[in-house]
Amino acid sequence: MLTTLFFLRRTGFAAITLLIASVVIFGITQVLPGDPAELILGINAQEDTLAALREQMGLNAPVWQQYMHWIGGIITGDFGKSYTYSVPVSELIGARLWISLPLAIMSLLLSTAIAIPVGVLAASRHNKATDVSIMGATQLGIAIPNFWFAMLLVMIFAIKLRWVPAGGFAGWENGIFNGFKSLLLPAIALALPQASILARIMRSALLDVLAEDYMRTARAKGLPRSMVLWRHGVRNAFIPVLTIMGLQFSFLIAGTIIIENIFYLPGLGRLIFQAITQRDLIVLQGLVLLLVGLVIFINLLVDIAYSIVDPRIKGAFHE
Amino acid sequence: MSEIELPGARESWHDFLAKAVHNRSFTIGAIITGFVLLMALLSFVWTPFDVTEMDIPGKLKWPNSQHWLGTDHFGRDVFSMLMVGARNSIAVAIVAVSIGMAIGVPLGAAAAASKGIFSDVIMRANDFIFAFPSLLLAILFTAIFGPSAINAMIAIGIFNIPVFARLAHGGSLALWQREFIFSARTSGKGPVRITIEHILPNLMNIMIVQGTIQFSLGILIEAGLSYLGLGTQPPDPSWGKMLSEAQTMMGFAPYLAIFPGLAIVITVLGLNLLGDGLRDIFDPKLRRKR
Amino acid sequence: MALLEIEKLNLSIGGTPILRDIDLQVDAGESVGLVGESGSGKSITSLSAMRLLPQSAKLAGSIRFNGCELTQLSEQRMCHLRGRDMAMVFQEPMTALNPVKTIGSQIAESLQFHLKMSRANTETRVLKLLDRVGLDPAKFSPDRYPHELSGGQRQRVVIAIAIALDPKLLIADEPTTALDVTTQEKILDLLKELAGENKSSLLLITHDLAVVAQMAERVAVMKDGEIVETASTLDFFRNMQHPYSKKLLAASMLKPKAEKTHFEDSKPLMRVDHLVRRYRLPRKSLFGPAQFLDAVNNVSFEIEQGESIGLVGESGCGKSTLARTLLALNKPSDGRVEFLEHDLFGLSKSELRSIRRNMQVVFQDPYGSFNPRHKIGRLISEPLQLLEHISSSQRHRLIAAALEDVGLTIDDADRYPHEFSGGQRQRIAIARAIITEPKLIIADEPVSALDVSIREQVLDLLNALAERHGLSYLFISHDLHVVRAVTDRVLVMYRGKIVEQGVTSQVFDNPQHEYTKQLLAATPDLAKTLEQLEAEA
């Protein structure tokens, strides 16, 4: 399907971006105030013990050597050891990934599953009551901050109705259903604003497509309106929608930082927040790089998805 | 954003008003935004109560005739806190949008006017900033330079730069292919002059529209940051901070969580409606998309 | 017997009346030409027949098709008719096909929808249809996507879709306006052939009287939402009644220019010497060699002082690239351009500025050539900054003179471009070009976007200005009639090269190069077609 050139170019570009990102992230964390050795040993530690630990951690080496050491480790899967928890960072991340990743995927699926049909419905009933009320509702959905929406959900479904736990994570080991139950409210809270944005994009993209000449060609063939909409409209409208979905993943990741704090979910977002407050630089570095890498990877997937949806993009690179 | 629709002519102020009063989104948005701005400005000279004044015996009062929206766990008046909070939120968002515009628009326009490495570097740098989730960037920034309203402004402002740069770049590129730019070039005008005389004025409308959108996003991100304790610092009240304090009291004082949230929703809604309205007024062809 | 019968059709969109009392009849097997300028309502008339109008359209009156009243028909029954009994070919082949679906699947769609045909049967029918419209299935597989085809090839696909079910009525709305002349001829021939073969009726909508004369048995002329005249083609041209028809005919028959062949000044104004403008194409494979395209390939010619020289060629032949290079907006990859005895690309910035006042430009699109935020006075005085030390009273005088030269007044300087019609805007563009009193004006398709009646006025203006100011033109156009009406000498460009040049009338009457011959043969010639019609009658 894809030509190697197209694929290589995109992948190469993603790899370079990630490499630069690693330098920037490492640089940023160097600026962060706080001495890791002091963090580990406490404020009352002796100066010579501190010095010894600094030497042992390689903190006295030139910055570029520290960077090479760090990035070299990451390539082999070693993210270093947490200053505060004294466990490998990869272990910390690994455990929490199993909360954040399902959460992000659930909310992305949820928002897409709501947004696409709603957007198509609004476009097909353009300027009618259905369209106007959908647009009003999405306008509201965009304006609601996800963490406030999360609080409302907790008030209603956890405190008043007691259907779901107000926070914390039941753990996958206690049954997949219980795990999902703990993630349900956070996923809904994350998905709603994203679904509102996506539905609006879907609608306007579809309205654009509906005005295209080829839609008239299809109608002139005798195809009924609804058939034209689904067969010729939706796939073309998907091109801008894909872009937004890629961007939204980045918003979702940022969103998890707050949402996980509200629901006391021990996920990556909460880990980041803890790492910052505890000045656990090595955890912070690894985590931010991982999240940025994830965003870059998703954008790569979006680019590839483009070329599947739109043959013209492939055409520009075909051999 | 590849295609820029030029308006039929320069909008005179009179034409603009005539169209504006007939635009429902614009009118509602302008009224809401005007109200919020008024409350924020009013808070400089008057609030029902002093926001720093604690009144422990009068704490956690539900809304009543004296305290219209109730009091918090220190007995402070919620309505007064919301007024001052509006001021803080709006200040952060305005400065953040200004930073984004003041740096992003010239960068984007310059990238479009020049070719080769310079333009590539600018646009790749933009793509690069986009790889960092906005809130993560803001969190990192405030973590390094310390949590404060000023740092929140700068952090959100940095995130705004590539947004405006991309828009200005795309818009300018489309304009550079227009015939009136070719005629300006045959009149001997250089890229700087053409950018100032022909490109930027024609980008103004889309920038204003995007500005209101980024403004509302700024309010949301500021709320998020101060919710995490990384934005406006106590004792200055802020909407996000009020929400995070309310969280532990949701069981018995839900109004503490509801009113600041509503304040955010109303402000953002007003701004978004205003932005949509402006877009319609500037570009009637896009009206159907509203 | 009437197949399509439109009676007293009135239509308004959003309260604005568009069509008034339209009566139009198309008999079975007949081809009817519906002629009019832009905005006359001819396209809306055809869309009414298909009931493909925007939802805000309100229509009154009667449209009968094959005895069935369409205005009363349910949408479902209408779908049954569309594509099966009546089909349509549109103006813009570049956008008329869905870019994300293969051409085969787009042709197959109506077969499957109307006939519920099996997959295997559809496949063979699609191959037959492609072959029928002149796209050899061996070369143009149904699995291809629209973007892989040229404009003419895409229009063939659109026609294949239209004729898939042998409709009784084929409506073609400006089917060749977006195409090059050589392609236009082939597409028109194909439409005529297909209509004749299936004994189907053809309703051809066009702005071009020459096309109507070639294609139609009967003509209806539209103006401002009304049909002002209907007659059989021969009667129409022999004895037209309505003043508008006469005006249209007069404007369509452009008079060739009285050529100048002797020029007083012996030194040429511009000398173009082996000019090359090369573009780098995207690499086709990772380690493959870099690919180049010479958009302008080794072009040499001269322009004399006071000479009007035409540059003709089809879209994509490099005309506009050449124009931009001559205007020093692009740098050439190789070769020289001498203008007023200076090497154009060896000049310093300030020297280039001072020489620019002697060459100005007029573009095609009367809507895109002005910054919509500036007033006319500011727009046309923009080139004045190439002159040094201009006082504001001098400036005012120059603006007034330039506006008067193009038939406008100084009062117009205070208005915005959107307050003017397309033809007036082109006059304003010309005013801007002449304000510095240049020696050379490069005009890139200056009348291509204009209706014929306005086109004639603008061409007259250009000729008059050349006389008055001793201007030279490089006049770029795809339209041979237009070139003949304003130029003394002509260059024929094909794939980046000048394949033929010479005195305009000689090139036109006795073309030497194969491509020039094709071009001339394909260009619809109203006078010749009318002679043929008379001879047949």
Side-chain angles (χ1 to χ4, degrees), chain A residues 81-316:
Chain A
K81 210 172 179 185
S82 162
Y83 301 156
T84 43
Y85 297 98
S86 300
V87 290
V89 177
S90 50
E91 226 169 76
L92 275 177
I93 291 178
R96 283 149 192 255
L97 203 59
W98 284 108
I99 294 170
S100 295
L101 207 57
L103 177 60
I105 291 171
M106 264 172 84
S107 45
L108 195 63
L109 289 180
L110 202 61
S111 90
T112 314
I114 298 170
I116 303 302
V118 166
V120 173
L121 183 69
S124 64
R125 300 263 189 284
H126 182 224
N127 275 346
K128 298 200 174 110
T130 324
D131 180 29
V132 174
S133 39
I134 288 176
M135 280 301 99
T138 53
Q139 191 70 268
L140 200 64
I142 293 174
I144 295 177
N146 54 20
F147 59 95
W148 184 61
F149 187 55
M151 289 168 74
L152 291 184
L153 289 176
V154 169
M155 274 197 270
I156 296 167
F157 294 102
I159 296 176
K160 267 253 158 9
L161 300 173
R162 297 184 183 282
W163 288 357
V164 282
F169 185 62
W172 296 113
E173 61 279 2
N174 297 326
I176 289 182
F177 177 72
N178 280 326
F180 270 123
K181 220 166 133 185
S182 335
L183 293 184
L184 192 61
L185 287 190
I188 293 174
L190 273 174
L192 178 94
Q194 304 299 330
S196 303
I197 296 172
L198 205 58
R200 292 176 80 89
I201 303 283
M202 183 71 218
R203 169 181 178 272
S204 72
L206 197 52
L207 285 180
D208 275 347
V209 171
L210 287 178
E212 291 281 354
D213 283 355
Y214 55 78
M215 299 302 275
R216 195 177 53 184
T217 310
R219 296 264 293 134
K221 283 179 205 171
L223 305 188
R225 222 177 270 277
S226 59
M227 207 189 250
V228 173
L229 186 79
W230 285 102
R231 278 205 194 166
H232 292 270
V234 174
R235 187 166 161 195
N236 277 291
F238 237 81
I239 296 164
V241 169
L242 265 177
T243 319
I244 302 298
M245 282 174 70
L247 281 178
Q248 288 202 325
F249 191 79
S250 165
F251 280 109
L252 278 178
I253 284 182
T256 55
I257 302 176
I258 297 187
I259 291 293
E260 288 179 359
N261 270 293
I262 291 179
F263 289 96
Y264 304 105
L265 289 175
L268 294 179
R270 202 157 162 73
L271 186 62
I272 274 202
F273 193 63
Q274 287 166 348
I276 287 176
T277 45
Q278 295 164 350
R279 302 277 168 220
D280 198 341
L281 297 191
I282 191 94
V283 173
L284 190 62
Q285 282 171 5
L287 255 178
V288 176
L289 185 64
L290 182 79
L291 294 185
V292 171
L294 216 54
V295 172
I296 292 171
F297 177 67
I298 293 292
N299 285 332
L300 182 69
L301 285 189
V302 168
D303 274 347
I304 292 169
Y306 264 157
S307 62
I308 294 170
V309 175
D310 189 349
R312 281 168 298 184
I313 292 172
K314 223 181 327 174

Side-chain angles (χ1 to χ4, degrees), chain C residues 306-362:
Chain C
E307 183 186 34
S308 172
I309 191 162
L311 177 63
V312 296
E314 294 180 313
S315 57
C317 75
K319 296 177 303 218
S320 292
T321 309
L322 177 60
R324 281 174 194 176
T325 311
L326 298 182
L327 285 164
L329 298 178
N330 289 339
K331 279 209 159 40
S333 315
D334 200 5
R336 268 170 75 85
V337 177
E338 257 177 49
F339 182 59
L340 293 169
E341 295 176 59
H342 293 282
D343 176 5
L344 202 54
F345 299 97
L347 296 175
S348 72
K349 257 190 180 167
S350 61
E351 285 170 325
L352 184 62
R353 267 177 66 99
S354 59
I355 213 167
R356 272 197 191 283
R357 68 166 294 186
N358 287 310
M359 58 162 144
Q360 286 293 314
V361 63
V362 176

Side-chain angles (χ1 to χ4, degrees), chain C residues 1-7 23-32 62-70 85-86 168-169 199-203 217-218:
Chain C
M1 196 207 104
L3 178 69
L4 177 72
E5 219 176 345
I6 299 177
E7 249 180 305
D23 289 315
L24 182 69
Q25 188 174 328
V26 181
D27 288 341
E30 185 191 31
S31 45
V32 174
S62 142
I63 305 170
R64 271 190 304 281
F65 178 75
N66 219 2
C68 172
E69 180 59 52
L70 297 188
D85 294 324
M86 53 202 311
K168 296 189 185 78
L169 172 66
K199 299 205 169 44
S200 58
S201 311
L202 178 68
L203 177 59
E217 291 154 15
R218 221 145 46 78

Side-chain angles (χ1 to χ4, degrees), chain B residues 250-262:
Chain B
M250 277 192 305
F252 51 92
Y255 62 91
L256 282 181
I258 286 174
F259 294 126
L262 276 182

Side-chain angles (χ1 to χ4, degrees), chain C residues 97-333:
Chain C
L97 294 171
N98 187 339
V100 304
K101 286 185 171 254
T102 61
I103 56 172
S105 74
Q106 297 189 57
I107 299 172
E109 216 167 24
S110 45
L111 298 173
Q112 286 162 338
F113 177 75
H114 289 290
L115 301 184
K116 313 276 177 266
M117 221 182 233
S118 75
R119 186 174 273 263
N121 279 345
T122 322
E123 258 171 51
T124 46
R125 265 299 271 285
V126 167
L127 292 178
K128 262 191 206 150
L129 281 164
L130 279 175
D131 193 45
R132 186 64 206 83
V133 295
L135 295 172
D136 178 7
K139 266 169 77 189
F140 299 96
S141 140
D143 293 332
R144 285 222 187 174
Y145 286 97
H147 71 268
E148 297 169 313
L149 308 183
S150 72
Q153 291 161 353
R154 288 189 206 188
Q155 196 63 308
R156 288 174 190 269
V157 175
V158 175
I159 293 172
I161 292 173
I163 61 160
L165 293 161
D166 299 331
K168 296 189 185 78
L169 172 66
L170 191 60
I171 300 176
D173 185 359
E174 301 266 13
T176 57
T177 308
L179 303 173
D180 285 323
V181 276
T182 46
T183 321
Q184 156 165 324
E185 189 197 22
K186 289 176 196 146
I187 295 288
L188 288 177
D189 285 350
L190 177 66
L191 280 173
K192 202 168 186 174
E193 205 184 301
L194 289 169
E197 196 171 280
N198 296 337
K199 299 205 169 44
S200 58
S201 311
L202 178 68
L203 177 59
L204 179 75
I205 291 143
T206 179
H207 65 282
D208 191 339
L209 282 180
V211 168
V212 173
Q214 262 179 32
M215 296 283 294
E217 291 154 15
R218 221 145 46 78
V219 181
V221 181
M222 269 192 97
K223 182 180 189 291
D224 299 334
E226 281 177 88
I227 289 189
V228 296
E229 184 163 3
T230 316
S232 81
T233 306
L234 198 58
D235 278 349
F236 175 77
F237 283 108
R238 268 182 185 166
N239 184 21
M240 50 181 64
Q241 300 297 316
H242 198 275
Y244 178 71
S245 310
K246 289 176 185 164
K247 192 178 144 200
L248 211 56
L249 180 67
S252 303
M253 308 267 255
L254 292 170
K255 285 180 288 295
K257 187 183 182 226
E259 288 152 2
K260 273 207 277 186
T261 43
H262 295 286
F263 301 96
E264 288 142 34
D265 204 327
S266 56
K267 281 178 198 140
L269 179 67
M270 180 179 260
R271 175 179 299 174
V272 180
D273 197 14
H274 298 288
L275 196 69
V276 178
R277 169 80 185 169
R278 184 167 297 155
Y279 287 104
R280 203 191 179 106
L281 298 177
R283 273 170 207 266
K284 286 191 174 166
S285 68
L286 189 54
F287 302 107
Q291 306 261 328
F292 294 98
L293 170 79
D294 287 346
V296 174
N297 189 352
N298 210 4
V299 164
S300 304
F301 64 92
E302 285 175 6
I303 306 176
E304 304 294 334
Q305 309 255 12
E307 183 186 34
S308 172
I309 191 162
L311 177 63
V312 296
E314 294 180 313
S315 57
C317 75
K319 296 177 303 218
S320 292
T321 309
L322 177 60
R324 281 174 194 176
T325 311
L326 298 182
L327 285 164
L329 298 178
N330 289 339
K331 279 209 159 40
S333 315

